[in-house]
Amino acid sequence: MSTTETGHVTGTKDKDYNILWFTEACLDNALRLETFIQDAEREGDNELAEFFKKAQNDSRKGAEQGKRLLASRLSG
C-alpha cells in the first residue's frame, strides 16, 4: 500500500482516479464480455454464455455504481 499521493502526476487525486479507473474497467469488461457471449453462443455452449451474461451484468452494475459515486463527488 502506497502512502504517497500521486495526484500531482495525473492532476487527479488518487481516490478520484481510482473511481474513474474502476468505472472504465467495468465498462470495458462489459464490452469484452459481449464478444465472449457471442463466441459461446456460436459454439452452442449455453452454460458458458449464461456465465458470461451474469458477469456482464455484474460489470454493468459496477459501472453504474461507479458513475453514481463519481457524479455525487463531482457535484458536491
Side-chain angles (χ1 to χ4, degrees):
M1 183 165 105
S2 176
T3 58
T4 304
E5 168 70 42
T6 59
H8 65 282
V9 175
T10 64
T12 304
K13 287 188 174 196
D14 289 354
K15 64 184 183 72
D16 295 334
Y17 178 88
N18 293 346
I19 297 168
L20 288 164
W21 179 91
F22 173 83
T23 303
E24 188 275 335
C26 287
L27 292 169
D28 184 59
N29 199 45
L31 284 173
R32 183 177 307 265
L33 284 163
E34 186 63 26
T35 300
F36 296 172
I37 292 165
Q38 291 172 6
D39 290 348
E41 288 174 342
R42 187 174 50 253
E43 294 294 321
D45 193 335
N46 293 327
E47 180 183 25
L48 188 56
E50 287 304 313
F51 173 78
F52 288 138
K53 286 177 183 178
K54 182 185 179 313
Q56 185 183 51
N57 189 47
D58 290 344
S59 290
R60 286 179 181 144
K61 286 179 186 177
E64 287 304 314
Q65 291 171 339
K67 288 189 290 186
R68 281 193 302 272
L69 182 60
L70 186 60
S72 72
R73 289 171 176 248
L74 291 176
S75 65

